[in-house]
Amino acid sequence: DATRKSDFLSISGSTMRALAKKGAPPCPDTIPDNWEETKPCIPNGFMVKRGWELMIQYYQDPKNQQWIGYSRMMSEPLIAPGNFVKKGTFGKPSWTLYFQNAEGDNISPWHDLQLYPSGADASGRIVNMMVEIPMGRMEKLEVNKEEKHNPIKQDVKKNQPRYYKYGVPFFNYGMLPQTWEDPAKKDKDGHMGDGDPLDVMEIGSQQLPTGSVVQVKVLGVYSLIDQGEVDYKVIVINKDDPMASSMRTADDIDGLVTGRLADWLKMYKTAEGKAVNELANDVMEGPLKAMSIIKETNGHWKSGREAGTI
């Protein structure tokens, strides 16, 4: 209704953020006629008083660590059934998840779990994935390479637990046991390994708990370049997922999914103020390339164990 223009105000998300950043006060009961042009205040009723005060505090100091608590999931971890020992408090650096065998002895998920399921080998395309971060969870959980028995812990920075901030992960994230991206080895383009087990992103339809050991079908791989090191991301699907029968190669994955994967890999660190990551190729390479990398890094793991390097 053009005759009632003064009765309506347009406040977009960017306008709201700009008003909060400059600390706009509440408007008087009568909103200024030139509000659209000057935006000197925030209209009454737009947000409760305490809510607007928090908005101002956040947008005037968005990097303050106090805001982590508003963005993370305040809940218990999703742990697979099995032989585990938990220590410490989840969400704090003390939290630790140890793997145990049937006798109750601690084991390493990196070194003691098998890369290939029983009866399988490198000639097939089925491998064992150990899940670190379930789909939909933002806590950055990972196998700790330095601690004895390599338990799962939450990654920390400046003694603060880390969380993924670039949206909620739409995949299950984990690692391939008995693999190692040897930092002493270079790929054909001169990039060294990052010193970690191979990372895996499972794109099925089901959330997989932390600690799950899942047989997965290898579909492809992305090569992420980070400060001169190559960090492979193997793309897989749970072999028992309802969608698995229709997926054999990277070409069978919906283009929207591969687009989201490439975007996430390139952009997820920007939420922490870091630069955009580089992918060697925005197009996912296929299962033959992925299996070649898996076989090679399994060889590096064997050599590293024999030499006592890892």
Side-chain angles (χ1 to χ4, degrees):
D1 187 344
T3 65
R4 298 178 58 197
K5 182 179 179 181
S6 61
D7 291 344
F8 300 93
L9 297 175
S10 174
I11 304 179
S12 65
S14 57
T15 297
M16 178 196 71
R17 290 188 287 272
L19 286 167
K21 188 173 182 179
K22 74 177 185 179
C27 292
D29 291 340
T30 301
I31 296 175
D33 292 336
N34 63 345
W35 188 93
E36 290 280 6
E37 292 75 31
T38 61
K39 297 180 177 61
C41 54
I42 191 75
N44 291 318
F46 175 73
M47 188 178 294
V48 296
K49 182 174 182 292
R50 180 55 182 153
W52 183 244
E53 290 171 351
L54 284 171
M55 293 288 289
I56 290 174
Q57 292 175 34
Y58 173 76
Y59 282 107
Q60 290 186 345
D61 187 17
K63 293 185 179 180
N64 193 310
Q65 289 292 311
Q66 70 171 308
W67 306 118
I68 294 286
Y70 289 88
S71 62
R72 69 187 181 196
M73 293 183 179
M74 306 298 288
S75 60
E76 289 299 306
L78 179 66
I79 306 297
N83 297 325
F84 301 101
V85 172
K86 292 184 286 185
K87 294 186 178 181
T89 302
F90 190 60
K92 295 185 179 295
S94 63
W95 186 81
T96 308
L97 182 70
Y98 291 96
F99 286 63
Q100 293 191 330
N101 59 20
E103 288 72 41
D105 300 318
N106 286 347
I107 61 172
S108 165
W110 184 12
H111 303 308
D112 296 324
L113 297 180
Q114 298 299 306
L115 171 59
Y116 300 107
S118 178
D121 56 27
S123 63
R125 286 172 45 199
I126 303 296
V127 295
N128 286 325
M129 167 191 182
M130 195 283 291
V131 179
E132 295 166 307
I133 307 171
M135 177 192 302
R137 299 297 295 248
M138 299 172 71
E139 302 91 355
K140 194 175 188 299
L141 306 180
E142 60 184 20
V143 164
N144 186 289
K145 296 183 300 178
E146 287 71 37
E147 196 165 322
K148 187 177 181 180
H149 301 301
N150 311 116
I152 293 179
K153 296 179 71 71
Q154 188 166 357
D155 191 25
V156 297
K157 183 177 181 180
K158 297 181 179 179
N159 206 38
Q160 292 294 320
R162 295 184 64 195
Y163 296 82
Y164 285 119
K165 300 178 182 179
Y166 189 67
V168 179
F170 58 96
F171 44 80
N172 296 290
Y173 197 89
M175 50 82 77
L176 293 186
Q178 299 185 343
T179 62
W180 183 44
E181 296 187 57
D182 187 349
K185 306 292 184 182
K186 293 184 179 181
D187 66 8
K188 61 181 179 63
D189 298 313
H191 301 118
M192 298 176 294
D194 70 351
D196 292 336
L198 278 177
D199 294 324
V200 193
M201 302 169 77
E202 194 278 332
I203 60 170
S205 58
Q206 301 167 348
Q207 185 185 49
L208 303 175
T210 296
S212 301
V213 180
V214 183
Q215 294 185 26
V216 294
K217 181 191 297 186
V218 175
L219 301 174
V221 64
Y222 285 104
S223 302
L224 182 69
I225 310 301
D226 186 3
Q227 298 180 340
E229 297 177 342
V230 63
D231 183 9
Y232 294 113
K233 306 294 183 182
V234 181
I235 310 303
V236 303
I237 187 167
N238 181 353
K239 75 176 185 64
D240 295 324
D241 191 274
M243 300 189 298
S245 61
S246 63
M247 292 189 185
R248 290 185 52 79
T249 73
D251 293 335
D252 297 322
I253 304 173
D254 189 292
L256 291 175
V257 175
T258 55
R260 291 180 69 192
L261 287 169
D263 174 81
W264 196 89
L265 289 171
K266 288 191 292 185
M267 302 300 293
Y268 78 94
K269 288 186 178 180
T270 62
E272 301 176 8
K274 298 180 180 179
V276 175
N277 285 328
E278 174 190 354
L279 288 179
N281 192 334
D282 281 1
V283 178
M284 188 192 307
E285 296 185 85
L288 293 180
K289 174 68 173 179
M291 289 305 302
S292 172
I293 291 169
I294 291 170
K295 183 178 180 180
E296 180 180 47
T297 55
N298 178 233
H300 293 164
W301 173 82
K302 292 176 181 177
S303 298
R305 293 296 282 171
E306 290 171 359
T309 306
I310 55 175

